[in-house]
Amino acid sequence: MKNKILKLSALALMLGTCTAGASDNITSPMGGRDTKAIAEESERVGKMAADWLIAHPEIVEQALQKLDEKRREEMHLAQMKTVIEHQENLLSNPDTPATGPRNAGVAVVEFFDYQCIFCAQMARELKKVMADRQDVRYLFREWPIFASRWPVSALAAERGQAIWKTRGAEGYMTYHNALFATGHQEGKLTEDDVEKASRQAGYVPERITSSQQDLEETEQLARTLGAGGTPLLIVMPQKGATPDRISLIQGFVTAEQIEEAIRKAEGKNDEQE
C-alpha cells in the first residue's frame, strides 16, 4: 500500500509539473510574472491531480500494468537477441552432447543437472518428445549447479562429457537416461550410480582432455543468457532464427509444451493463426 501511495504521489507530481505551464500566464499588476500566484496555482493543480488519482486508483493500476508489460517485452526481446548472438555456441559446439539430424530444422537445447528434481521430471517429458519428433536435433548442456552442495553432480557431468567424446551420441544417451532412471536426485545420486551408468554406456576410462573447461563454458553461457537455474530449455530454428521463433523456457514443462515450442520454431503456430 505504501509503494502504491508513493507511485500515486509521483504521478500526481508529474501531472502537477506538466500542468503548471498554464500558470505562466499569471502576471503581477506591474506586468511581471507573479511568482507567489504561480506557486499557489501549481500547488492547487497538483493537489487536484493527486486527489483525482487517489479517487481513481484503477487508472494508475492499469498504467503500471502496461509499464510492467512493456518492460517484460523489452527484456524478453533482449534475451532472444542474446540467444541469437550465441547460437553458434548453442547449436554447433562439438563438445556439446547431441543427437538427431545435424540438418534438422529445429533444435532443442537443455541445460540441466542430474541432481535437479525438476530436470528429472522434464527428462521423462523430453523423452516422449524425442520419440515422437525424431526430425529435431537435441543438445544437452551439462550444468552441475548443485556441485558445491553435492560433488557427485560435478562427477556425473564430467563423466557425461567424457562419454560423449569417447562413445558418441548412442553411448551418451544410454548414460544420460540411465542416471535419470535411478530416481536419485537432490543429494541422493551416488558415485556408484555414475559408475553403473558408465558401464551401461560402454565407457572405458581413457586419457582425454579434462571436461572441466566444457562445464565452465556452459556455466558462462547460461549466465550470459540470463538463466537462473535448471532446467533451462531453448527451442529455436537452426537457421534463420528470429526472436519470434525462439522459446526460452525456465523450469519444468510438459511434453505438450515442448511440442508447442517446436511448432513455434517451425512457424506452424503462425500458419494455424
Side-chain angles (χ1 to χ4, degrees):
M1 184 64 182
K2 183 178 179 181
N3 289 337
K4 189 171 182 179
I5 292 173
L6 288 173
K7 290 176 180 177
L8 286 170
S9 300
L11 188 53
L13 180 60
M14 290 169 57
L15 289 173
T17 302
C18 293
T19 56
S23 63
D24 288 346
N25 295 324
I26 300 176
T27 59
S28 69
M30 300 299 293
R33 297 175 64 197
D34 190 330
T35 305
K36 181 179 179 181
I38 291 173
E40 291 175 349
E41 179 66 10
S42 296
E43 183 178 353
R44 184 183 68 81
V45 172
K47 186 177 185 305
M48 288 174 59
D51 289 344
W52 187 87
L53 289 172
I54 291 173
H56 302 84
E58 70 280 359
I59 302 299
V60 179
E61 198 73 37
Q62 291 172 11
L64 292 175
Q65 288 176 358
K66 287 290 183 182
L67 180 60
D68 287 342
E69 289 175 7
K70 181 180 179 182
R71 286 176 177 169
R72 283 197 297 269
E73 288 173 1
E74 290 173 348
M75 289 176 62
H76 175 75
L77 181 59
Q79 201 170 31
M80 295 306 101
K81 288 181 177 179
T82 302
V83 170
I84 293 173
E85 289 172 5
H86 293 84
Q87 61 182 334
E88 183 174 355
N89 190 353
L90 283 166
L91 306 178
S92 304
N93 187 331
D95 293 326
T96 300
T99 186
R102 290 182 179 275
N103 62 347
V106 174
V108 175
V109 186
E110 182 189 17
F111 290 71
F112 69 96
D113 183 328
Y114 288 111
Q115 297 268 36
C116 168
I117 186 66
F118 298 110
C119 297
Q121 292 172 358
M122 196 162 75
R124 294 191 288 269
E125 299 298 305
L126 188 57
K127 195 172 182 180
K128 298 175 189 175
V129 176
M130 293 175 70
D132 187 52
R133 294 301 305 265
Q134 298 182 27
D135 57 329
V136 171
R137 187 158 178 80
Y138 302 90
L139 301 100
F140 301 88
R141 303 300 297 241
E142 303 268 1
W143 187 20
I145 61 171
F146 293 115
S148 61
R149 187 187 307 176
W150 302 311
V152 177
S153 282
L155 172 64
E158 290 178 10
R159 183 62 57 81
Q161 289 295 124
I163 290 174
W164 161 250
K165 293 175 181 179
T166 59
R167 306 299 297 175
E170 184 176 353
Y172 178 80
M173 292 311 304
T174 297
Y175 170 82
H176 180 86
N177 292 332
L179 273 192
F180 276 128
T182 64
H184 295 168
Q185 286 82 42
E186 297 190 322
K188 297 178 182 178
L189 192 68
T190 66
E191 291 185 17
D192 186 60
D193 290 330
V194 174
E195 296 303 331
K196 184 177 179 180
S198 298
R199 290 193 295 271
Q200 290 181 35
Y203 173 71
V204 177
E206 299 178 28
R207 289 183 59 84
I208 61 172
T209 304
S210 171
S211 301
Q212 184 60 38
Q213 184 176 349
D214 298 341
L215 304 185
E216 290 174 357
E217 289 178 356
T218 293
E219 163 87 19
Q220 183 176 358
L221 177 60
R223 297 304 183 190
T224 299
L225 296 174
T230 58
L232 171 69
L233 208 65
I234 298 174
V235 185
M236 62 186 295
Q238 289 216 91
K239 293 182 179 179
T242 54
D244 60 315
R245 295 287 175 85
I246 300 172
S247 296
L248 192 153
I249 307 167
Q250 183 78 66
F252 170 80
V253 288
T254 64
E256 290 74 18
Q257 289 171 304
I258 299 172
E259 288 271 13
E260 183 178 353
I262 291 173
R263 290 194 296 271
K264 174 182 174 181
E266 293 172 326
K268 292 184 177 179
N269 285 358
D270 295 339
E271 294 174 6
Q272 292 175 0
E273 292 175 1

